[in-house]
Amino acid sequence: MATAEYIQFMAEAIAEARRGEAEGEVPVGAIAVADGQIVGAGHNQPIKLGDPTAHAEILTIRTAASTLKTYRLTAVSVYVTLEPCVMCVGAMVNARVARVVYGARDDKAGALGSVYDIGRDGRLNHRLEVVGGVMEPECAEIMREFFRARRGGA
C-alpha cells in the first residue's frame, strides 16, 4: 500500500529520473531516506561517467553512505523508479539497506520479484523489505516515453 511518505519520496525519485532523462540517460532515479530525511539521491549516469556501474541506486547508496559516514545503511530506505537489477540489489544487500520501494516492475532485468528475487532470498546474510508498485503508472510512463522517443515513435 502506498503511504503518503512513499508517494512523497517516490515523487523525488521521479524528479531524479527526469534529470537523467535530460542528460540523455535511461531515466531511472533513486532517493535514499533515513529518519524521514533524504540522505542520498541519484539518477542513471553510465554514459556521462563512462561507468557501467553508475546506476541510480549505486550512486544513491554511495551518496547516502558518505552523508551518514557509514557503509552499513541499516536505517535507510531506497526509493527507485524502476525495479532494481541484480547488481543494484546486490549492492543494497551488502549495504544492509532496510527497505526498497520501487515504482515500475522490470520484467527483463528486475531482481526484486520479476526475474529474480535476490533481495528476499533467505540464503543471503541480509534480506530487504520490498514494496513495489508505488506510483507505478507514472514510473512506467517515464520509461515508455523515453524509449518511444529513442525509437522515433509517436
Side-chain angles (χ1 to χ4, degrees):
M1 175 162 146
T3 66
E5 179 179 303
Y6 290 173
I7 291 167
Q8 172 193 349
F9 290 122
M10 187 59 71
E12 294 287 341
I14 288 170
E16 277 295 323
R18 293 288 187 199
R19 285 191 262 293
E21 180 179 37
E23 296 173 5
E25 301 279 1
V26 174
V28 177
I31 299 290
V33 176
D35 296 321
Q37 300 296 314
I38 295 173
V39 295
H43 54 271
N44 277 1
Q45 294 187 63
I47 297 166
K48 178 180 180 181
L49 298 177
D51 179 355
T53 70
H55 288 195
E57 302 93 324
I58 300 295
L59 299 175
T60 299
I61 290 167
R62 289 177 183 162
T63 305
S66 178
T67 298
L68 298 171
K69 298 179 179 15
T70 182
Y71 71 105
R72 293 288 189 232
L73 304 179
T74 57
V76 169
S77 294
V78 173
Y79 292 77
V80 59
T81 57
L82 183 67
E83 180 182 357
C85 71
V86 171
M87 174 183 70
C88 292
V89 173
M92 288 187 260
V93 167
N94 283 326
R96 309 297 195 271
V97 165
R99 174 187 306 121
V100 179
V101 180
Y102 71 85
R105 286 174 51 95
D106 185 347
D107 292 324
K108 294 182 180 179
L112 288 177
S114 292
V115 178
Y116 302 102
D117 201 356
I118 295 168
R120 294 178 282 207
D121 188 322
R123 296 170 291 181
L124 300 176
N125 63 344
H126 178 71
R127 280 169 289 296
L128 306 167
E129 178 185 339
V130 177
V131 178
V134 174
M135 297 182 73
E136 183 169 11
E138 296 88 340
C139 292
E141 185 59 24
I142 293 168
M143 297 298 285
R144 276 194 298 276
E145 287 172 6
F146 178 80
F147 286 109
R148 189 178 304 128
R150 283 285 192 261
R151 294 181 190 116

